[in-house]
Amino acid sequence: MAPYPLRPDYTLPNTLPNISRWILYPILFILGLVAMAVAMAAVVLILTYPNLPSLDILTDYRPKVPLRVYTVDNHLIGEFGEERRAVVRIQDVPDVMKQAILAAEDERFYQHSGVDAQGVVRAALSNLLGGGKRQGASTITQQVAKNFFLSSEKTYARKLYEALLSFKIENNLSKDQIFELYINQIFLGQRAYGFGAAAPIYFGKSLQELSIAEAAMLAGLPKAPSAFNPVVNPKRASLRQQYVLRRMHELGFIDSKQHDAALKQVLVVKRDTNEFVVHAEFVAEMARQMAAERFPEEVYTRGLRVYTTILKSDQEAAYNSLRRGVLDYDRRHGYRGAEAYVEMSDIKSEQDEALDELLQDFHDSEDLHPAIVLHADAKQIRAYRRGGEIVTINSDGLKFAARMIDDKAPPNKRLRRGAVIRVQTDDKNNWRITQMPEVESAFLSADPQNGAIRSLVGGFDFNRNKFNHTTQAWRQPGSSFKPFIYSGALEKGFTPASIVHDDPISFPASVTGSQAWEPKNYDGKYEGAMRMRTALAKSKNMVSIRLLQASGVHFIQDYATRFGFDADKHPPYLTMALGAGSVTPWQMVTAYAVFANGGYRIAPYIVREIQDEKGQALALAQPVTAGDESLRAIDPRNAYLMDSMLRDVTIYGTAARASATLKRRDLAGKTGTTNEHVDAWFCGYQQTVVGCSWIGFDQPKNMGNGETGGSAALPAWIAYMAKVLKDVPESFMPQPEGLVALEIAGSGKGPAKEFFYKENVPTSVEPEPEQDQNAKPID
């Protein structure tokens, strides 16, 4: 029996309705709010969706494609535009790149409909549990919507708009179309837009050549292009790459073996400023200027392609030959000391990251690398190179700079801790000290038949000095101008066999128009009477002056314009005989081409064609070709005789080194050295190519005794011709009509044949006087 029996009419209190109200009402309230939100969202959707922007910008995708410049054989040499972009089709993107992007950015891209609900929930939980906003959930489609239509502000209104746009994009485009837009539009740092542009910029490769490790590195960039940039933040970039590789492994895109191999791969990230395989910066800039002048409105966004006349092999030969010639000259004149000094008091170790910051103002010049001296003594120098490499230089590598390591060296040039130096590897791959040269140079070559420029190097280093010496530098040509005086003399009745005196000469002020003038030969030696042919080969100043005086200065001034020279740049004075006027290397190539092609004035050109983004020609060059008699500049007999005399220059004259080195007798040209050794030239040709080499200081000054056209300029010309004429057979100009050959007595060399204009055949030919066979030409 219960201790407390209940009354028969007693019932338990009804508490269930009260409990239900406490639970049910809040649920109903929440459901009501949800319903209202859904209704409001539906209203917003109904009102907003039709007003979303048109997708024409996506369906008719026209990205800002930069202006690109190519060699004639289709090698990229320049790119200009705010956005560096290479548009690729989705089918041309390798699977490993697609997989890396999906693993990093949107693994469910091919499952969701624009907004990934699972991703949103996952990100929300992660952020809630993590105590802050740490993870985003934007899909690839949402990123496309944002990049094309929206700002980067982080507001709920923009996110809603982004979601609505994503749904619209998904309803109108296929997944592959959306993915292709993303791959081409996304910003990846280093001014690279799209993965097609990023691959060559970061790794010097095409997308198809990327390894798994490299693809993962690029795929990690969209999240934060600055933070994960392997050029400026290699450590953070590596951590991001490891994350992408882990996700690729978890998703089954790569197996464990591939994952581990990718982690171990050492990536070689490009850090230099030149991303092109051909050094043709001056050419690219010339092409850019021409395109901008012709198509100023969209030149950097329309995707124009400029095809130059440059040949890759010729350009490389010219670039390497010029640099070798300049560096050889520079080494002949000794080491000048430290390039600069940096503050090292805050440097804690040899791997201090601040060392890279100290080097940021010193760019690499091809193989001339800047480095900071960490320790220096007479036996060894240790220096830091950009990127963390410690360079050790000893024995032979120190010889060039030995006098600047000594304690007696000038304090502002001595090599000590904190000094910035230049280092390069020698033929045995050992480090040695070098320096940036102060002297400048230029090299230009062309096809003498139609004027197409085959190579152009406007200076030693475009990044240091953008002044184009081939077209902008007006310099005195020195003796390289003499052939045009000799050519004019032939028109006045002189012949290669004419005897002219190489004796001292002086002119009073009444003749020169200013002051008395007593010109001299370079070596101060005079050989008396000699044939005109011999005088040109030996570059005799006295003979050139007498020929100019006999021909008439005004006649020669006007005659030189036939070759492309400006009359006002060559005042009608006798100093013209010594090349005291002003020329550019471009003019010199134009002029020497007349001798090479048989007497025709051609017009050098460097841009062959400009195409639009679809490959349609917008502009085509209209070259003039030798053989058209309307282009004739000089009598073909004159050209033939000058060619013969200029070949003598390279066989036994001031440029004899050319034929001796290249083992061929079809080379022709002339050395040139100006007063006080300020400018040195060699201009010459073989029938298939004409080239000009110049060297000198931007602020004219003496280059040093012995630095003549034959020693300072000719080596670069020879090195270039050695490359481009390697498989070219010897060829000689055919003899034109109207010439008569006579055998004449040589100077101890036996009978010789000389040519004369038919109307000027002499009744007898005076033998050339005996010359001093030990006399060596200087110029």
Side-chain angles (χ1 to χ4, degrees), residues 324-363:
R324 172 59 67 88
V326 169
L327 291 174
D328 285 348
Y329 165 87
D330 194 64
R331 290 188 75 84
R332 290 198 295 269
H333 293 272
Y335 188 62
R336 295 184 297 276
E339 186 171 326
Y341 295 94
V342 295
E343 180 56 53
M344 299 281 284
S345 59
D346 295 331
I347 300 302
K348 307 302 181 185
S349 71
E350 291 188 348
Q351 290 297 327
D352 196 315
E353 292 184 2
L355 287 167
D356 273 339
E357 296 179 12
L358 293 175
L359 280 172
Q360 65 184 357
D361 293 332
F362 303 91
H363 77 276

Side-chain angles (χ1 to χ4, degrees), residues 690-754:
V690 56
C692 180
S693 172
W694 166 84
I695 186 170
F697 290 96
D698 273 344
Q699 297 299 319
K701 65 178 182 179
N702 193 314
M703 290 194 296
N705 291 332
E707 297 297 351
T708 64
S711 61
L714 179 60
W717 189 92
I718 292 175
Y720 169 80
M721 291 295 177
K723 294 288 185 181
V724 302
L725 296 179
K726 183 178 180 181
D727 299 316
V728 177
E730 281 190 333
S731 60
F732 299 91
M733 189 178 298
Q735 180 182 331
E737 294 182 359
L739 286 177
V740 175
L742 295 179
E743 287 192 354
I744 58 176
S747 55
K749 300 178 183 178
K753 183 185 291 186
E754 190 58 89

Side-chain angles (χ1 to χ4, degrees), residues 87-100:
V87 178
V88 294
R89 300 179 304 169
I90 189 66
Q91 58 265 38
D92 296 329
V93 180
D95 288 341
V96 66
M97 190 72 254
K98 296 176 186 176
Q99 293 165 351

Side-chain angles (χ1 to χ4, degrees), residues 581-738:
S582 296
V583 300
T584 65
W586 187 278
Q587 285 186 329
M588 295 299 275
V589 162
T590 304
Y592 274 81
V594 176
F595 296 138
N597 63 32
Y600 298 95
R601 166 85 176 275
I602 48 88
Y605 68 104
I606 200 164
V607 170
R608 181 177 64 86
E609 183 178 4
I610 300 177
Q611 295 180 356
D612 65 13
E613 67 277 14
K614 297 179 181 179
Q616 301 297 314
L618 299 176
L620 286 171
Q622 303 293 329
V624 296
T625 304
D628 181 348
E629 288 303 313
S630 67
L631 304 175
R632 179 159 297 285
I634 60 175
D635 189 304
R637 298 173 299 178
N638 188 308
Y640 182 83
L641 295 180
M642 288 305 305
D643 174 69
S644 172
M645 288 193 285
L646 290 171
R647 280 191 285 111
D648 283 354
V649 175
T650 70
I651 295 172
Y652 66 84
T654 58
R657 180 178 176 182
S659 291
T661 303
L662 300 180
K663 309 298 184 191
R664 54 193 305 153
R665 299 175 68 84
D666 61 343
L667 307 174
K670 183 68 184 75
T671 52
T673 310
T674 63
N675 195 31
E676 300 296 332
H677 297 86
V678 171
D679 295 276
W681 298 79
F682 184 79
C683 301
Y685 58 89
Q686 188 267 352
Q687 279 200 302
T688 62
V689 58
V690 56
C692 180
S693 172
W694 166 84
I695 186 170
F697 290 96
D698 273 344
Q699 297 299 319
K701 65 178 182 179
N702 193 314
M703 290 194 296
N705 291 332
E707 297 297 351
T708 64
S711 61
L714 179 60
W717 189 92
I718 292 175
Y720 169 80
M721 291 295 177
K723 294 288 185 181
V724 302
L725 296 179
K726 183 178 180 181
D727 299 316
V728 177
E730 281 190 333
S731 60
F732 299 91
M733 189 178 298
Q735 180 182 331
E737 294 182 359

Side-chain angles (χ1 to χ4, degrees), residues 62-347:
R62 295 185 181 183
K64 292 181 179 180
V65 180
L67 168 73
R68 292 192 172 96
V69 183
Y70 296 86
T71 63
V72 71
D73 41 357
N74 207 35
H75 294 278
L76 183 66
I77 59 174
E79 186 175 85
F80 303 92
E82 293 181 5
E83 301 179 3
R84 303 160 83 178
R85 193 190 305 275
V87 178
V88 294
R89 300 179 304 169
I90 189 66
Q91 58 265 38
D92 296 329
V93 180
D95 288 341
V96 66
M97 190 72 254
K98 296 176 186 176
Q99 293 165 351
I101 296 170
L102 294 174
E105 293 295 318
D106 190 358
E107 66 187 70
R108 297 187 67 254
F109 172 68
Y110 282 96
Q111 284 77 50
H112 63 66
S113 59
V115 176
D116 186 6
Q118 291 185 24
V120 172
V121 173
R122 183 175 61 249
L125 289 174
S126 175
N127 295 336
L128 182 64
L129 296 174
K133 189 172 183 179
R134 299 183 179 182
Q135 191 177 111
S138 289
T139 64
I140 284 176
T141 311
Q142 287 175 281
Q143 292 184 59
V144 168
K146 181 178 70 174
N147 286 333
F148 279 93
F149 300 104
L150 304 173
S151 67
S152 58
E153 62 176 340
K154 296 181 179 180
T155 64
Y156 290 110
R158 190 197 63 78
K159 292 296 290 184
L160 174 62
Y161 213 62
E162 180 184 289
L164 294 177
L165 270 171
S166 299
F167 291 135
K168 183 172 183 178
I169 291 170
E170 292 271 352
N171 286 332
N172 287 273
L173 301 178
S174 69
K175 285 289 187 178
D176 278 351
Q177 286 177 309
I178 298 169
F179 204 8
E180 182 178 291
L181 288 168
Y182 175 83
I183 285 172
N184 285 306
Q185 186 69 17
I186 195 71
F187 177 61
L188 299 171
Q190 301 294 99
R191 291 196 298 115
Y193 285 79
F195 290 89
I201 288 171
Y202 284 105
F203 298 113
K205 299 179 178 181
S206 67
L207 277 179
Q208 289 73 21
E209 297 173 311
L210 292 179
S211 66
I212 294 174
E214 291 165 338
M217 179 70 80
L218 294 185
L221 289 169
K223 183 177 178 65
S226 297
F228 300 131
N229 185 324
V231 175
V232 296
N233 286 312
K235 292 181 180 178
R236 294 189 67 181
S238 179
L239 292 174
R240 178 66 176 166
Q241 178 214 31
Q242 293 170 26
Y243 164 78
V244 176
L245 289 171
R246 177 171 60 81
R247 293 295 298 139
M248 293 178 72
H249 184 225
E250 291 171 352
L251 293 170
F253 292 145
I254 57 176
D255 57 31
S256 297
K257 184 178 180 180
Q258 291 173 310
H259 174 264
D260 294 343
L263 285 176
K264 293 177 182 177
Q265 181 181 344
V266 178
L267 300 188
V268 180
V269 178
K270 288 183 61 180
R271 296 176 180 275
D272 60 319
T273 56
N274 183 60
E275 65 268 24
F276 308 111
V277 296
V278 186
H279 281 280
E281 297 88 346
F282 290 97
V283 178
E285 174 59 18
M286 291 175 71
R288 181 199 69 79
Q289 292 178 19
M290 293 180 192
E293 183 178 345
R294 191 76 178 267
F295 307 100
E297 299 299 326
E298 301 175 299
V299 65
Y300 303 124
T301 59
R302 186 178 171 183
L304 298 181
R305 292 183 170 216
V306 181
Y307 287 91
T308 67
T309 58
I310 297 299
L311 288 163
K312 177 178 181 289
S313 58
D314 282 49
Q315 183 65 23
E316 289 179 333
Y319 177 81
N320 292 328
S321 300
L322 178 144
R323 286 182 68 91
R324 172 59 67 88
V326 169
L327 291 174
D328 285 348
Y329 165 87
D330 194 64
R331 290 188 75 84
R332 290 198 295 269
H333 293 272
Y335 188 62
R336 295 184 297 276
E339 186 171 326
Y341 295 94
V342 295
E343 180 56 53
M344 299 281 284
S345 59
D346 295 331
I347 300 302

